Amino acid sequence: MKNPLFLGADPYILYWEGKYYIYPTTQTPDAPLNSLTDTATDGYKVYVSEDLENWECKGYALHCEDVKGDKCFWAPEMTVRDGKFYMVYTAEEHLGIAVSDSPLGPFKQQEKRWLIEDRAIDGHFLVDDDGTTYLYYVRLGGGNKIYAAKMTDDLMDLDLESEQLLVVAGDQQWETYDCRVAEGPFVIKHNGLYYLTYSSNHTRSPYYAIGYAVSKSPLGPFEKFAGNPILSRTETVVGVGHHSFAMIGENKWVCAYHSHFSPEQFKPRKVRVDYAEFVKDEKGGDDILVINGPTED
């Protein structure tokens, strides 16, 4: 795999009709750490490839003029239903839903509003086998924590009565280097089990990394994998996390994630893609999710 691909963070990867699409948080190289202006203020651009190595920026998929929110656009994700593409986006530390007829956009809101009024980031859709759609997301305050709830049939609202707290960081050693953070959720259903992958530590930390927890239900309870993290730093690639997966064949996945610019410099971050797969547990437990990275060309 040719890594890194381009500047960006929090990448969502979509495999659709033989092409790969990546929607990252756009980077602003010279912004101060912890600033709400440290990322793009006006939307998301989309990058397209046919081979995972050669990428072309196709311009804005979502622009702030078409949705609620004026700045701080982070971490988009999407799902497809009946030929329409539904994007859950974060702006100003709130979630919104926008819709398009094309993966290239433009993604728009007919009614410009937040999905919920509370502060929340990092939305992720899961469409279960019975068609029920769940949204996983991160509530802010007292440490980032991962929640999930069912969505209404039109994918425009959350059923907050179904909301469950799923993952809190801090009870595994790898999660405790910098801040109490569990964020960037992404769920894969495999062999009837729900693998909830997430990132821990502050994104500024070189020890930012990916782990997962497993449940028999989309709303938990989830048990963390004892072998976490499944993607972590090397001598030359640090700060790896906030990821997404796309299935490209039988038990063949690609995982998009970001890293720091270098071991010495946090921003601007870089987008990377590596292959992933499930392997049998030699001790007879659940299959183990493996990300074969981070690699560097």
Side-chain angles (χ1 to χ4, degrees):
M1 193 72 73
K2 184 179 179 180
N3 275 313
L5 304 182
F6 42 80
L7 295 182
D10 316 322
Y12 174 70
I13 186 165
L14 171 71
Y15 183 55
W16 184 257
E17 296 184 343
K19 294 183 180 180
Y20 302 90
Y21 299 79
I22 288 182
Y23 309 78
T25 299
T26 303
Q27 294 295 277
T28 303
D30 56 355
L33 299 184
N34 299 324
S35 168
L36 282 180
T37 61
D38 65 355
T39 52
T41 61
D42 55 359
Y44 310 110
K45 293 181 180 180
V46 56
Y47 296 76
V48 183
S49 174
E50 294 184 355
D51 58 9
L52 291 173
E53 293 190 1
N54 300 288
W55 294 86
E56 181 181 0
C57 180
K58 294 291 190 177
Y60 281 93
L62 178 148
H63 194 272
C64 63
E65 293 179 352
D66 296 322
V67 297
K68 175 81 169 178
D70 296 319
K71 58 186 178 180
C72 306
F73 283 81
W74 302 338
E77 290 208 17
M78 71 177 67
T79 191
V80 186
R81 176 185 287 182
D82 298 331
K84 289 190 176 294
F85 297 80
Y86 293 79
M87 177 182 285
V88 55
Y89 71 93
T90 299
E92 301 174 27
E93 297 184 341
H94 285 76
L95 295 172
I97 302 290
V99 184
S100 174
D101 293 325
S102 165
L104 297 177
F107 285 84
K108 299 183 177 183
Q109 288 180 311
Q110 288 188 340
E111 179 186 356
K112 295 183 178 182
R113 64 182 177 93
W114 301 127
L115 181 62
I116 55 176
E117 290 302 319
D118 296 338
R119 292 169 63 221
I121 62 174
D122 296 357
H124 163 67
F125 292 108
L126 171 70
V127 181
D128 210 347
D129 298 338
D130 64 358
T132 303
T133 301
Y134 299 86
L135 190 75
Y136 298 78
Y137 50 97
V138 176
R139 284 188 176 270
L140 303 180
N144 296 6
K145 302 172 184 176
I146 296 173
Y147 288 76
K150 293 179 182 180
M151 298 207 72
T152 54
D153 290 341
D154 63 1
L155 303 184
M156 290 292 107
D157 290 285
L158 281 178
D159 174 11
L160 288 176
E161 291 185 1
S162 69
E163 184 182 62
Q164 298 290 328
L165 171 62
L166 301 184
V167 173
V168 177
D171 59 355
Q172 290 187 325
Q173 187 273 336
W174 72 279
E175 301 172 334
T176 62
Y177 289 105
D178 186 351
C179 294
R180 192 176 178 86
V181 171
E183 64 185 16
F186 194 101
V187 179
I188 297 175
K189 190 174 185 181
H190 172 74
N191 286 350
L193 298 175
Y194 300 83
Y195 287 71
L196 170 53
T197 63
Y198 62 97
S199 299
S200 274
N201 295 295
H202 196 292
T203 187
R204 70 189 171 210
S205 170
Y207 293 97
Y208 195 60
I210 299 170
Y212 72 81
V214 181
S215 176
K216 296 179 180 179
S217 165
L219 294 179
F222 282 84
E223 180 177 352
K224 292 180 182 179
F225 174 51
N228 284 338
I230 62 169
L231 187 75
S232 57
R233 63 171 293 172
T234 66
E235 289 186 1
T236 57
V237 183
V238 307
V240 292
H242 203 122
H243 56 289
S244 59
F245 294 89
M247 190 176 187
I248 60 173
E250 185 176 355
N251 193 30
K252 189 174 182 181
W253 301 77
V254 286
C255 177
Y257 59 94
H258 71 239
S259 69
H260 289 185
F261 185 81
S262 71
E264 298 77 32
Q265 181 178 334
F266 173 24
K267 294 180 180 178
R269 287 165 287 180
K270 297 177 178 179
V271 173
R272 298 172 180 269
V273 172
D274 279 306
Y275 291 110
E277 62 186 331
F278 287 91
V279 300
K280 293 292 184 183
D281 182 2
E282 295 180 355
K283 297 180 180 179
D286 301 329
D287 286 355
I288 297 171
L289 176 59
V290 175
I291 302 172
N292 296 305
T295 62
E296 186 141 36
D297 185 36

